[in-house]
Amino acid sequence: MKKIIVMTLSFILVFGNTSYAAEVPCVNSQNDTAATKEELYKNIFITMIYPYVEKAIQDYYSQYLTYLPGEDPWSYKFLKIEKTPGKNYSYTVQLEAQPYVGPHLSVGADRITLGIDLGQITIEQFEHIKSYELPFNYQDIIKKKLSM
C-alpha cells in the first residue's frame, strides 16, 4: 500500500505540475493583459535586484543630499549582462539609473555594476556619470554640490 501511495505522489509531482504549468497564462496584474514570459522574468529580476540598486544610490547620495532620492525600476537601462566564464549561476550586470527627488526631478545618472552569484548579490562598482542642477526650491536639501 505504501509503495502505491509513494508511486502515485511521485507521478503527480513529476507529471502533474508539468502539464499544469503549461496551462497557466502569463498575466500582467497592472492591467490584466497577457504578458510575455520575457516581461515577467525581467520584472522578477528587477524586483530581486531593486533593494541593492536602491541601497547603492542612497549610500552615494547621502553624502550630498539631506533628502535621499528614489529611482524607478521600470526606467533601469540595462547596459550589459554577462555570464562569468567557467561558473554556473554567476553573472555581471551593468545598468544605468536616474535618481530623482520630489516630483521626478532628476539629480543625476548613475552606472551600477552588480555581481550576481547563486544566493548573493553585490555592488561591484558605482559610477556617478552625470549631475543635474536642482531648482531653487530644492536647494535646501543640498549638503554639498554633486561633482560632474
Side-chain angles (χ1 to χ4, degrees):
M1 181 70 166
K2 270 186 174 179
K3 191 173 182 180
I4 293 172
I5 292 172
V6 170
M7 287 175 59
T8 304
L9 286 174
S10 298
F11 181 82
I12 290 170
L13 288 173
V14 172
F15 296 104
N17 288 340
T18 304
S19 62
Y20 176 73
E23 296 172 18
V24 176
C26 295
V27 176
N28 182 348
S29 63
Q30 290 177 345
N31 56 12
D32 292 334
T33 60
T36 65
K37 283 187 180 183
E38 184 178 304
E39 288 175 288
L40 291 176
Y41 292 152
K42 180 182 175 188
N43 288 342
I44 289 169
F45 177 68
I46 289 172
T47 301
M48 292 168 50
I49 66 169
Y50 177 79
Y52 300 93
V53 173
E54 180 182 46
K55 183 175 180 343
I57 287 171
Q58 290 182 353
D59 287 349
Y60 178 79
Y61 286 94
S62 66
Q63 59 190 315
Y64 297 100
L65 303 172
T66 59
Y67 179 84
L68 296 178
E71 84 284 350
D72 289 322
W74 56 264
S75 69
Y76 290 171
K77 180 179 178 185
F78 288 92
L79 305 173
K80 188 178 357 174
I81 300 175
E82 296 178 335
K83 185 179 181 314
T84 305
K87 287 180 133 185
N88 288 329
Y89 308 105
S90 181
Y91 302 89
T92 300
V93 175
Q94 189 178 71
L95 62 88
E96 191 174 297
Q98 300 275 332
Y100 65 88
V101 294
H104 293 260
L105 301 169
S106 292
V107 294
D110 303 304
R111 188 173 298 130
I112 302 165
T113 304
L114 300 127
I116 300 176
D117 287 303
L118 198 57
Q120 181 178 341
I121 298 176
T122 55
I123 301 298
E124 292 183 351
Q125 184 177 11
F126 183 96
E127 183 182 1
H128 181 71
I129 55 177
K130 192 170 189 177
S131 297
Y132 298 106
E133 193 72 32
L134 289 172
F136 73 93
N137 54 331
Y138 278 86
Q139 294 297 309
D140 61 330
I141 69 167
I142 299 172
K143 286 182 186 179
K144 67 179 181 179
K145 191 166 179 73
L146 284 162
S147 58
M148 282 194 202

